[in-house]
Amino acid sequence: MLQQDSNDDTEDVSLFDAEEETANRPKKSKIRHPVASFFHLFFRVSAIVVYLLCELFSSSFIACMVTIILLLSCDFWAVKNVTGRLMVGLRWWNHIDEDGKSHWVFESRKASAQESKTVSEAESRIFWLGLIACPVLWVIFAFSALFSFRVKWLAVVIMGVVLQGANLYGYIRCKVGSRKNLTNMATSYLGKQFLKQMVVEIQQCHAWISLRNCKHFF
């Protein structure tokens, strides 16, 4: 269990015990939650399709904007509260304590011997593919709308970036842990690279000294 991050009042805890019963169900197929997997992609893909094709079928900007925002909102709720919990055992949320202080909580189900038998790799791939690919597309749409001076669509595209980017950030925090853990990982990596570079330079120095000694001997 990860410790609470005191800098930004976030904490990483184990997924609530009520959901542990899902880990005990027998595995029947590669995709254990087909409905959740479908709606994980349905709302976000539909929002992208409507954004790309709405001008071909409707001349009303308001109708297109409302449709896209509704699809993005449904996607945000479904991914945040349902599909992440069922498909990969992760969940993030926020609560206000008695002092009025906001706390962000990033949850992950505890690993167990039975979980390795019930976790679906297909569902995990679907979840992370949809979670990462769609925000990237909205970022591309944002640059396209900005450079093509489609100002009226810029607000809609920014809404897509914010809503889907929030879910992406939340689940990444659930997956890798708190900011402190990310800092420790980066520090460890840089330390290893520094030591590796030092070893290479020492070896090069020894080789240069040996070469000079050989020339001096002859």
Side-chain angles (χ1 to χ4, degrees):
M1 183 182 296
L2 300 174
Q3 300 296 325
Q4 182 173 351
D5 189 349
S6 58
N7 294 330
D8 56 356
D9 295 322
T10 63
E11 56 181 341
D12 301 86
V13 297
S14 298
L15 197 62
F16 47 87
D17 296 334
E19 300 302 328
E20 292 296 330
E21 62 182 8
T22 59
N24 298 324
R25 297 177 183 175
K27 184 176 179 181
K28 296 181 179 180
S29 63
K30 291 183 179 181
I31 298 180
R32 299 177 58 245
H33 304 95
V35 177
S37 300
F38 171 77
F39 282 104
H40 177 71
L41 298 177
F42 174 75
F43 290 120
R44 53 184 49 213
V45 172
S46 297
I48 293 174
V49 172
V50 172
Y51 173 78
L52 293 175
L53 303 179
C54 64
E55 290 184 335
L56 299 177
F57 299 100
S58 175
S59 58
S60 175
F61 169 75
I62 300 299
C64 296
M65 180 185 69
V66 171
T67 302
I68 295 172
I69 291 177
L70 284 176
L71 289 171
L72 289 172
S73 301
C74 292
D75 170 74
F76 178 81
W77 183 90
V79 174
K80 178 178 178 294
N81 297 291
V82 180
T83 63
R85 175 174 56 85
L86 294 178
M87 297 174 69
V88 291
L90 302 174
R91 190 179 71 171
W92 65 276
W93 52 286
N94 175 268
H95 72 93
I96 308 297
D97 60 15
E98 296 178 354
D99 299 328
K101 203 171 185 180
S102 178
H103 297 269
W104 292 95
V105 182
F106 303 92
E107 297 179 334
S108 60
R109 182 179 295 131
K110 292 181 180 179
S112 62
Q114 291 183 347
E115 185 179 357
S116 60
K117 299 179 181 179
T118 57
V119 169
S120 171
E121 293 184 1
E123 283 186 358
S124 179
R125 290 172 183 170
I126 292 173
F127 178 83
W128 289 107
L129 179 62
L131 193 71
I132 295 172
C134 292
V136 171
L137 288 177
W138 283 111
V139 171
I140 295 174
F141 295 157
F143 282 105
S144 176
L146 182 63
F147 292 128
S148 61
F149 300 103
R150 300 174 64 193
V151 180
K152 66 178 183 179
W153 288 103
L154 196 58
V156 179
V157 174
I158 291 176
M159 182 70 69
V161 173
V162 170
L163 290 179
Q164 297 196 355
N167 265 327
L168 176 60
Y169 173 77
Y171 281 114
I172 288 177
R173 288 292 302 273
C174 292
K175 186 69 175 178
V176 302
S178 66
R179 188 176 301 171
K180 182 184 293 185
N181 290 341
L182 291 174
T183 303
N184 292 337
M185 290 169 59
T187 304
S188 176
Y189 174 78
L190 292 176
K192 290 179 180 179
Q193 294 298 318
F194 177 73
L195 291 175
K196 183 179 179 180
Q197 185 65 27
M198 285 185 61
V199 170
V200 172
E201 290 181 358
I202 291 173
Q203 291 177 346
Q204 291 177 349
C205 183
H206 280 299
W208 182 76
I209 293 174
S210 299
L211 182 61
R212 286 202 60 183
N213 291 335
C214 291
K215 289 183 177 178
H216 180 71
F217 177 77
F218 288 105

